[in-house]
Amino acid sequence: MKFKTLLAAVAITQTLVGCGLTANNTVQPLQPIVIDNSAAYQLLVRNHEKSVNWTGAVHQLTKQIDGDKIQFTKASFQQSTQSYSLDFAHSWHSAIAFESPQGVDLTPYLANGVLSLDMQVNNTQKAALNLVMHCGENCVGKLRLREWAQQYDGLGWQQLNIPLSCFIQADNDVSKIQQVFTVEGDGVGEVEFKNIHINTDKTANFSCPDAASLSTTPGILNEYWAVDWWMDRHQEKLQANKNGVELVLIGDSITHGWEKEGAEVWHQNFADINTLNLGFSGDRTENVLWRLNQGELDGAKPKLIQIMLGTNNTGHRMEKPEYVAKGIRAVLDKLKQITPDSQVLILAIFPRGKDQTDMARQNNQAINLLLKQLADEYQAEFANINSVFLTENGQLTEQIMPDLLHPNARGYALWAEQLQPYVERYIRNLR
């Protein structure tokens, strides 16, 4: 018995030491990982078109757009304060990225690791701001800071201590992370940051939302490029005459585009169909839920409801497919409550990116497999029409979707051909 007790004591001591505790129970925290412009990291400056190595104190990517308007991404390093600056204007994407050619092992930091940095923001009311850490192969952890930036704009330096769990899940393989840390912005803004560390001896002062519930938590679309029109469009749809509506379109910018790039195509094919377009550019599943909860569809009894939704859950935060499917399930539940007799048609999320190597396309394809299951469960129609947009080898061309995401008139014509049989079956043939 004494021998067994001794063995148990030895095992406990070994466990404590392995957890960072010495025999006298004093905590020995892991050494911080310093992220800086030393030889251990390669610094990159990015805009929406290219990524270049950052050399020198200042590096700027500039492009003239819309006549005299200048689009720029400017990265600066201040030697006196050891701080980095990212300034951007009229930008669709700007970033400073720290990459480790050898890779960094974050595994020991997963349990209670914290990303710490000092940051100050100015002129960010019309900006998006994100912090990004890669979390393994084909895995991107992105933390949205737009609301934080709005709160602290112009208030000087703030210390952020962010749990690694905001970027990394427990099952991620983070043993060799090369893209360690990135600051992203777009729109117009100025961001300065310094003292970037990953450590285990800081107390977090920033709480991130539960990634699994984002897609099902109703909310407005708070994006700098949407605040001027999104609520107005919502009010317009609330006040629309719902009497006699036969077809409802639910989705994001791709559906919204039937009123823009696809308007002529729609008129040629469906001018006789009383349609309510509830497509809003930029919407994710939680934004559609918010709008439905606020009554956008109340009073309508459409014969057919088409849903094509989820690509912004992927594009804005590379959300797990099962989370996006949960959001679309919540939309289906709401539709069943509002208008239970309507036939629902779920479209597979359209292809994006040039080819199959695109991470966003891969994520959407995984979502589409789950959408087929949802359609079966909810007795909805499911259609994957993606092949009509692609070449034989699976490439998406700019002749169909100029930005490799949104259809042009030719793309909408292809969509209309695929939609026609459903309109015939569920609307025209039932008149």
Side-chain angles (χ1 to χ4, degrees), residues 128-345:
L129 182 62
N130 303 303
L131 300 184
V132 181
M133 296 183 68
H134 278 230
C135 44
E137 186 175 358
N138 292 331
C139 179
V140 179
K142 182 178 291 189
L143 179 65
R144 174 186 174 93
L145 285 187
R146 171 165 162 77
E147 287 75 19
W148 179 91
Q150 289 178 307
Q151 180 180 356
Y152 290 100
D153 193 296
L155 298 183
W157 287 103
Q158 310 291 325
Q159 185 175 78
L160 280 167
N161 296 316
I162 305 168
L164 284 190
S165 58
C166 291
F167 307 92
I168 301 169
Q169 304 302 309
D171 58 348
N172 294 148
D173 179 4
V174 292
S175 58
K176 196 172 183 180
I177 300 299
Q178 292 184 315
Q179 299 185 51
V180 182
F181 176 72
T182 302
V183 175
E184 289 182 347
D186 59 88
V188 176
E190 305 166 8
V191 182
E192 191 171 0
F193 55 98
K194 60 183 179 180
N195 299 330
I196 315 159
H197 297 78
I198 296 173
N199 49 63
T200 58
D201 61 348
K202 293 282 189 180
T203 301
N205 63 5
F206 188 99
S207 60
C208 51
D210 175 21
S213 64
L214 282 172
S215 66
T216 57
T217 304
I220 65 172
L221 183 67
N222 179 27
E223 302 293 353
Y224 73 91
W225 42 263
V227 293
D228 291 338
W229 61 263
W230 193 90
M231 193 60 71
D232 288 343
R233 181 172 172 82
H234 168 61
Q235 291 297 324
E236 173 192 321
K237 300 303 179 181
L238 284 178
Q239 296 165 15
N241 184 359
K242 309 297 196 308
N243 292 330
V245 167
E246 299 173 294
L247 172 63
V248 170
L249 307 175
I250 293 178
D252 45 48
S253 57
I254 298 174
T255 299
H256 194 161
W258 278 119
E259 299 176 359
K260 301 176 181 178
E261 294 84 354
E264 184 176 348
V265 174
W266 186 269
H267 181 76
Q268 292 171 352
N269 290 273
F270 307 113
D272 63 314
I273 306 299
N274 190 339
T275 303
L276 177 64
N277 188 329
L278 298 183
F280 281 49
S281 295
D283 266 15
R284 301 177 287 269
T285 56
E286 67 266 26
N287 310 126
V288 171
L289 275 175
W290 186 91
R291 293 193 282 111
L292 293 177
N293 285 345
Q294 299 303 311
E296 275 191 0
L297 196 54
D298 289 2
K301 301 298 177 185
K303 297 175 181 177
L304 180 63
I305 300 174
Q306 178 200 273
I307 301 174
M308 210 275 285
L309 185 63
T311 198
N312 288 321
N313 293 66
T314 290
H316 291 186
R317 56 184 182 239
M318 197 57 69
E319 196 164 359
K320 287 186 175 182
E322 57 267 33
Y323 296 168
V324 183
K326 282 175 58 179
I328 296 175
R329 175 186 290 277
V331 170
L332 291 170
D333 286 338
K334 188 64 180 178
L335 292 176
K336 189 174 182 180
Q337 174 188 337
I338 299 172
T339 176
D341 297 328
S342 300
Q343 177 63 48
V344 174
L345 167 63

Side-chain angles (χ1 to χ4, degrees), residues 12 24 26 28 37 49 59 61 81 91 95 111 146 228 269 300 318 325 340 362 396:
I12 291 171
N24 62 0
T26 59
Q28 296 295 317
N37 58 352
E49 293 181 324
H59 197 111
L61 304 175
T81 57
S91 168
R146 171 165 162 77
D228 291 338
N269 290 273
M318 197 57 69
Q362 293 172 15
L396 183 61

Side-chain angles (χ1 to χ4, degrees), residues 95-106:
I96 295 176
F98 295 75
E99 294 195 357
S100 168
Q102 302 302 317
V104 175
D105 185 4
L106 297 180

Side-chain angles (χ1 to χ4, degrees), residues 23 45 97 122 138 160 207 225 257 260 271 290 325 347 374 391 395 408 422-423:
V45 182
N122 292 290
N138 292 331
L160 280 167
S207 60
W225 42 263
K260 301 176 181 178
W290 186 91
L347 292 186
L374 276 180
T391 65
Q395 287 197 328
N408 56 16
Y422 298 97
V423 172

